[in-house]
Amino acid sequence: MFDLTNRVALVTGAGSKNGMGMATAVGLAECHCNVVIADLDIEGAQRNAAVLESMGVESMAVKVDVTDRASIDAMVQSVIDRFGKIDILVNIAGMTQPIRTIDLTYEQFDKMLRVNLLSVFSVTQAVLPHMIEKQYGRIINMSSVSAKRGGGVFGGAHYSASKAGILGFAKNLAREVVTDHITVNNICPGLIGTDFRRSATGLSDEDERKLWEDVPLKRPGTAREVAAAIVFLASDEAAFITGEEIDVNGGAHID
Ligand SMILES: NC(=O)c1ccc[n+]([C@@H]2O[C@H](COP(=O)([O-])OP(=O)(O)OC[C@H]3O[C@@H](n4cnc5c(N)ncnc54)[C@H](O)[C@@H]3O)[C@@H](O)[C@H]2O)c1
């Protein structure tokens, strides 16, 4: 199961060393998938692409700003020029910002929607014609438990709104492209031990530990545990699953 030989995946937000994007890229490469690493951070993307090459798959690093349509179009064209197709798209690039609604500015809300939600629309729309042409595709978006129950200390209402918007977008798109053999699904992680949230919140180790105590499993999730769910949804075996989300949260939210 989960043999992705000759498949090509594009993973946005995969340029950081310990994030879910890189963990996903590694998981896909372990299934023999060729993986394009796209990120604002081109040095990080290049470092991660070199790691994948050392695993024996083809990889490529591309600089992209997912809020900029010209940059997105250039990214997609460079992948098509190199590989001729995109079978799997994983939309992971995103930001968070812990802030109370009373203090939130219109500009902050607008930026959050552009980075986390409109980016998913723009990247997906740029990739879709190539999937429709091949009559095959797997699209997996990074939502969050915050989409379903509010974000707590790690994200404001604008973060939760952006991640909830992804779920609605994906469910609608899933219906549109199901007969093109393209599936569209989402991942909703809970607290995951990446560098992302710590840098956004400036929490101490002790504060972090208190948060894990609220998770029934009493620990943060790992990026690899999230990647495993993404690799499953990217597989041929997941062909009959679309418009769904998988919660990866240690029991913190069950619906
Ligand atoms: N860590 C968690 O607990 C958690 C929980 C739920 C959801 N998430 C979501 O998971 C995703 C990945 O987070 P992570 O924890 O792996 O951290 P991460 O820092 O590794 O991932 C974010 C990546 O997105 C990139 N990025 C940011 N803005 C970009 C832009 N405009 N264009 C291109 N790339 C851009 C960053 O450079 C970075 O590499 C995010 O969407 C986040 O909202 C994280």
Side-chain angles (χ1 to χ4, degrees), residues 1 27 43 50 57 88 96 105 126 135 157 161 163 192 217:
M1 278 200 181
E43 282 88 22
V57 300
I88 298 161
T96 191
T105 66
Q135 287 291 288
K163 293 298 187 180
I192 307 299
L217 269 179

Side-chain angles (χ1 to χ4, degrees), residues 12-22 38-41 64-68 91-96 115-116 119 142-146 154 159 163 187-197 199 212 223:
T12 72
S16 73
K17 201 169 182 180
N18 303 311
M20 289 185 266
M22 180 52 174
D39 207 288
L40 256 184
D41 171 9
V64 69
D65 178 352
V66 293
T67 65
D68 176 355
N91 285 307
I92 291 187
M95 61 172 284
T96 191
V115 174
N116 283 6
S119 62
M142 185 59 77
S143 180
S144 169
V145 69
S146 307
F154 288 122
Y159 179 78
K163 293 298 187 180
I187 300 290
C188 295
L191 300 171
I192 307 299
T194 66
D195 305 331
F196 175 82
R197 295 160 337 79
S199 60
W212 309 144

Side-chain angles (χ1 to χ4, degrees), residues 76-216:
V76 170
Q77 193 55 52
S78 65
V79 181
I80 295 300
D81 289 347
R82 165 92 181 258
F83 292 104
K85 62 175 184 169
I86 299 172
D87 299 303
I88 298 161
L89 168 64
V90 192
N91 285 307
I92 291 187
M95 61 172 284
T96 191
Q97 185 180 44
I99 187 168
R100 288 159 54 90
T101 303
I102 195 91
D103 302 318
L104 191 52
T105 66
Y106 183 93
E107 288 69 28
Q108 287 168 325
F109 206 129
D110 182 63
K111 182 177 179 192
M112 183 66 74
L113 292 184
R114 282 188 287 110
V115 174
N116 283 6
L117 178 58
L118 291 172
S119 62
V120 172
F121 156 64
S122 300
V123 175
T124 302
Q125 191 187 54
V127 168
L128 260 183
H130 302 285
M131 290 184 168
I132 291 170
E133 186 196 330
K134 303 283 184 200
Q135 287 291 288
Y136 183 89
R138 297 278 181 271
I139 300 171
I140 300 128
N141 305 311
M142 185 59 77
S143 180
S144 169
V145 69
S146 307
K148 297 180 169 192
R149 58 142 215 211
V153 293
F154 288 122
H158 56 340
Y159 179 78
S160 294
S162 70
K163 293 298 187 180
I166 288 175
L167 300 183
F169 172 74
K171 285 174 197 293
N172 199 104
L173 179 62
R175 291 182 193 279
E176 289 179 26
V177 296
V178 65
T179 52
D180 295 302
H181 311 286
I182 299 168
T183 66
V184 189
N185 292 292
N186 308 291
I187 300 290
C188 295
L191 300 171
I192 307 299
T194 66
D195 305 331
F196 175 82
R197 295 160 337 79
R198 184 80 69 94
S199 60
T201 57
L203 284 181
S204 68
D205 287 352
E206 184 52 30
D207 289 339
E208 285 253 327
R209 258 194 303 280
K210 281 186 198 144
L211 283 166
W212 309 144
E213 285 301 309
D214 288 337
V215 179

